[in-house]
Amino acid sequence: MNLLRLPLLGVVLLSFALPVRAHQVNLSTARVALTADRAVTVEVALKGSDVDRLVGTNVYDAKADAVDPAAVDAAAASILGYLKAHLAVTAVDGTACAAGTAAILADGDGVIYRNSFACAGVAGDIVYRSTVLTEKDPTARQVVLVVQGKSEAQALLDAGNTTVTLSAPPPPLWSTMQRYLLTGIVHIFLGYDHIAFLIAVVLWARRLIPVIKIVTAFTIAHSITLSLAALDLVVIPSRIVEPAIAASIVFVAVENFFSRDIDSRWRVAFLFGLIHGFGFAGALREVGLPTNAIVPALAAFNIGVEIGQVAIVAIVLPVLGLFDRLFAPDRAKPVRATGLVYAVSAVITLLGGYWLFTRAF
């Protein structure tokens, strides 16, 4: 076996888990309220880094993870120009509602757009149309909270679905669950730190039963804290949760150098699953839960996360098994190559350390 190949193999195995930054949700949110007199208020929130990418401005400070209010004020005309081109409130036939005076506001790490539209002069249903962010990146989404009196519903816009009818009845429950199921799956595949944790925790696994125990323990644990946090029963600030998630990655990766006891690793998976659940809740909080379907939406998101986890493990284990057969001295008796585990664990340790440093400081 050529040991010089092992670091390269480790990098290849982990290559799909090398992000620019973890938890890049690629998401904007909107609150669109329709009143009885057919007036519509729109509020759209965008991450400052997305504003810079879309408009070519320089309002976001990555080190401070915040936007500069003075820079936002200076770039307000350019930002408004972009939003005016990619956002509209109209009748079904395309007749535009009369727009009011728009405002652009700095808000922490993001920018908020506010405007009102008078639709009393247009006939039929009123439509909110947005290609904000999705025209630049087809994988992006916009979560829209539609408010009409005491009724609230949610819609998910993307590159292939750019409109929501405001005066239509709320979407059916199954449609809502489908959207949250997909959001959970997508989140786990974009949550590169969670992927790194899952890879690290199963690197020594060569039997299915220990893996089932690990995944089950991790799922039960993160389901508990995800539910508690999403329902605002237990809330831990992200400045604590995110470094803790990174520390958990470093722990399991370093542990691979000292222990091969995969049978009892479900305990570690359960403990750290409690921490990762708060991270999942943070992503879900950005999307929001529909007030008329909180429990089904939460359950669907959780199931989506679990589907994503199972898919990742189902990819990683066969790849590890293939390497076992390729580099075993006797291919009839494949064994897990120590150098491979150490190489991948070293890469994950470096990634986790980087995330820990950036999130803590």
Side-chain angles (χ1 to χ4, degrees), residues 28-313:
S28 63
T29 59
R31 184 183 186 276
V32 183
L34 173 64
T35 64
D37 58 355
R38 295 174 66 83
V40 178
T41 59
V42 177
E43 181 175 295
V44 177
L46 280 164
K47 180 82 171 179
S49 55
D50 284 333
V51 172
D52 289 343
R53 179 161 58 97
L54 294 171
V55 188
T57 53
N58 188 26
V59 302
Y60 179 70
D61 183 346
K63 291 183 179 180
D65 191 25
V67 297
D68 179 0
V72 172
D73 289 342
S78 298
I79 299 171
L80 280 173
Y82 172 85
L83 290 167
K84 184 178 180 180
H86 295 282
L87 183 152
V89 178
T90 70
V92 174
D93 63 4
T95 303
C97 297
T101 302
I104 296 292
L105 305 170
D107 182 48
D109 64 351
V111 172
I112 291 178
Y113 161 87
R114 288 178 182 157
N115 203 355
S116 60
F117 298 82
C119 301
V122 301
D125 286 334
I126 300 169
V127 175
Y128 168 75
R129 187 185 315 274
S130 174
T131 56
V132 173
L133 195 58
T134 61
E135 56 83 26
K136 186 76 171 181
D137 188 342
T139 65
R141 294 174 191 78
Q142 182 177 101
V143 178
V144 183
L145 177 66
V146 180
V147 181
Q148 188 172 1
K150 295 183 179 180
S151 173
E152 294 184 358
Q154 281 197 332
L156 188 65
L157 303 185
D158 54 32
N161 177 33
T162 61
T163 63
V164 56
T165 303
L166 305 181
S167 48
L173 178 61
W174 176 240
S175 174
T176 298
M177 292 185 68
Q178 282 181 312
R179 289 198 299 272
Y180 279 87
L181 181 75
L182 178 61
T183 301
I185 294 172
V186 170
H187 174 70
I188 197 67
F189 277 101
L190 294 179
Y192 302 102
D193 46 359
H194 300 303
I195 294 176
F197 178 87
L198 287 170
I199 294 174
V201 84
V202 301
L203 275 176
W204 284 117
R206 300 196 67 248
R207 293 178 295 112
L208 187 59
I209 295 300
V211 174
I212 292 175
K213 290 166 65 177
I214 288 170
V215 174
T216 301
F218 188 68
T219 298
I220 292 173
H222 76 61
S223 297
I224 293 171
T225 49
L226 168 59
S227 300
L228 291 174
L231 297 174
D232 290 327
L233 298 176
V234 178
V235 178
I236 298 178
S238 61
R239 67 178 182 275
I240 297 175
V241 173
E242 295 302 325
I245 290 174
S248 74
I249 296 166
V250 174
F251 181 92
V252 293
V254 171
E255 189 182 37
N256 285 331
F257 292 95
F258 302 98
S259 173
R260 304 186 185 191
D261 183 12
I262 197 69
D263 290 306
S264 62
R265 229 177 186 192
W266 65 268
R267 298 183 179 89
V268 172
F270 182 86
L271 175 63
F272 290 137
L274 295 172
I275 299 172
H276 284 245
F278 286 109
F280 294 141
L284 182 57
R285 195 173 291 113
E286 292 186 22
V287 177
L289 285 170
T291 56
N292 60 340
I294 291 177
V295 173
L298 178 59
F301 180 83
N302 222 334
I303 293 170
V305 169
E306 177 62 13
I307 291 172
Q309 289 175 174
V310 171
I312 290 165
V313 172

